Amino acid sequence: MRLRFIVAPLLKWFAENARDLPWRRTRDPYAIWVSEIMLQQTQVKTVIPYWERWMNRLPDVAALANAREDTVIKLWEGLGYYSRARNMQKAARLIRDEHGGRFPRDLAGVLALPGVGRYTGGAICSIAYNQPEPIVDGNVIRVLTRVAGIEESPKAKPVLEQIWAIADDLVKQTVARQQSCQRNASAFNQAMMELGALVCTPRNPRCDVCPLKGRCVARKENKTDRIPALAKRAAATKRRYVGFAILWRGKVFVQRRPDGVVNAGYWEFPNWEVAADAEPAALAKGNLSLGQVELEPLCVVNHSITRYRNRLEMFVIRAARKPRLAKLGGEWLPLAKLDEIPLTAAHRKVAGRLLDAEKC
Ligand code: SF4
């Protein structure tokens, strides 16, 4: 299936409507790579300050490759999907050690970097180098399935491959039309993503202002609420956690999550997943070996990760003598230093409440 008629109107629309985003002011593949990894499952307005902080502190491949791991994951704190930051550092080290510090220029070289898949590889090669490599993400899928009237689920492999083939044909077309000084492959791929983000939105697409409205099957047949046909989300699962901020002489006990687990490298307060009817006092007694202690309720943090709805109930324990927590493998940290270590989003909220309560 060919949709070549969308190329010219989309390029024109993008030239007139593209948002001025900081990573659009550069062709540096490193800067574009950072933006693309940060933008996965995260909104543009959230990413902008993260990207700016990151580029200030780690402006190039060498800076990222040589940075301390704690610096890297601290810069990522709050963005979620933390393995991405670790993969980026692995990739930067690979570029330093095997590519002489220069970002690879060909798709195969880019795809060989840890954490870079087909979408990100295409995005870097097209946006940074103007190579006619296709990209397909949620925005592109929405635009192309609606314009073409593809009613089958894009989750099905043959349908997804069909969408990649359409995107490939389109981006190659842009280069055929390119005049000197133009960067059509870069502009076209960004235009599809931009249209999906600003106009062809999942709910209530703004078809009246869309440059493709005259040729769009979903609009003509009134099927924008059915296309793309996405499977219903898995039912949410509730999980309950209980945790403790154990204080002793102005310090708090924190643990670093080990390698190989989710959120590896981030710090947190001791906490456990528990049954709905578990008693926090019994948990403290059994897991902390502190004997009889008083639990002061601190806060409840509700947070969602994929289909999980997590509830974290936090309590403060004030210890008169230094508790023996060696078996938990953590550290005593002055309260004021909580701001300096990388914490996961839920535990960053807990830290904020704790510092407020202790007036630090
Ligand atoms: S006309 Fe509507 S449904 Fe079709 S591409 Fe444009 S915004 Fe999307």
Side-chain angles (χ1 to χ4, degrees), residues 42-344:
T42 310
Q43 292 189 339
V44 164
K45 68 173 190 297
T46 305
V47 167
I48 291 174
Y50 276 95
W51 185 86
E52 286 175 337
R53 264 198 304 273
W54 181 288
M55 293 303 296
N56 254 333
R57 190 76 192 274
L58 306 172
D60 51 34
V61 167
L64 173 56
N66 298 331
R68 289 180 54 229
E69 186 190 321
D70 263 12
T71 303
V72 175
I73 61 176
K74 178 73 181 159
L75 286 166
W76 202 269
E77 183 187 288
L79 271 180
Y81 304 97
Y82 297 108
S83 59
R84 291 177 188 168
R86 296 160 68 88
N87 271 337
M88 286 179 70
Q89 189 169 40
K90 273 189 216 156
R93 288 178 175 163
L94 193 139
I95 296 171
R96 177 194 64 192
D97 299 339
E98 295 183 19
H99 296 269
R102 274 195 307 278
F103 209 94
R105 281 196 70 90
D106 61 309
L107 184 61
V110 175
L111 286 175
L113 300 175
V116 174
R118 197 172 174 189
Y119 163 80
T120 308
I124 294 168
C125 287
S126 61
I127 298 171
Y129 307 132
N130 196 39
Q131 292 170 4
E133 299 293 350
I135 54 162
V136 172
D137 70 347
N139 285 325
V140 174
I141 286 174
R142 203 161 49 249
V143 171
L144 293 183
T145 53
R146 283 175 174 171
V147 174
I150 297 172
E151 298 192 31
E152 299 91 344
S153 169
K155 296 254 180 218
K157 200 155 181 265
V159 180
L160 188 59
E161 284 310 317
Q162 182 191 12
I163 296 168
W164 274 99
I166 295 171
D168 186 52
D169 179 63
L170 290 174
V171 76
K172 291 193 167 44
Q173 265 304 299
T174 63
V175 174
R177 293 159 185 245
Q178 188 170 291
Q179 291 165 9
S180 61
C181 298
Q182 286 182 324
R183 303 183 78 248
N184 280 359
S186 168
F188 179 78
N189 279 352
Q190 292 186 75
M192 277 205 296
M193 292 192 284
E194 194 81 333
L195 192 80
L198 301 182
V199 177
C200 193
T201 46
R203 277 181 290 279
N204 305 320
R206 298 165 56 216
C207 301
D208 50 329
V209 297
C210 178
L212 311 179
K213 64 183 175 188
R215 306 281 296 270
C216 175
V217 174
R219 176 177 180 264
K220 236 182 274 173
E221 298 181 2
N222 214 9
K223 290 179 178 168
T224 55
D225 56 343
R226 263 179 283 160
I227 301 178
L230 296 173
K232 285 210 171 78
R233 290 189 177 190
T237 303
K238 287 184 184 174
R239 297 199 295 199
R240 180 186 177 218
Y241 292 82
V242 170
F244 305 98
I246 308 162
L247 303 180
W248 171 71
R249 290 194 180 171
K251 294 181 177 174
V252 63
F253 188 78
V254 285
Q255 297 168 294
R256 192 171 189 274
R257 292 181 65 82
D259 286 347
V261 304
V262 175
N263 302 338
Y266 282 83
W267 293 82
E268 62 184 11
F269 303 98
N271 68 97
W272 289 269
E273 186 176 358
V274 296
D277 60 353
E279 283 294 335
L283 185 76
K285 199 171 172 197
N287 288 0
L288 299 174
S289 314
L290 295 178
Q292 205 60 40
V293 288
E294 195 178 322
L295 301 185
E296 295 172 26
L298 175 65
C299 60
V300 173
V301 176
N302 292 305
H303 60 113
S304 296
I305 301 173
T306 60
R307 68 187 175 87
Y308 296 104
R309 305 290 170 265
N310 299 329
R311 174 186 167 90
L312 171 62
E313 298 165 24
M314 288 296 305
F315 297 86
V316 172
I317 296 174
R318 296 178 194 282
R321 268 175 298 160
K322 188 174 187 181
R324 291 196 187 143
L325 299 173
K327 69 173 181 176
L328 294 183
E331 282 184 22
W332 290 96
L333 189 77
L335 275 168
K337 294 238 172 208
L338 275 176
D339 279 338
E340 295 173 21
I341 58 170
L343 294 168
T344 57

Side-chain angles (χ1 to χ4, degrees), residues 33-50:
W33 171 51
V34 174
S35 73
E36 286 299 333
I37 301 288
M38 286 186 172
L39 283 164
Q40 290 170 18
Q41 268 119 38
T42 310
Q43 292 189 339
V44 164
K45 68 173 190 297
T46 305
V47 167
I48 291 174
Y50 276 95

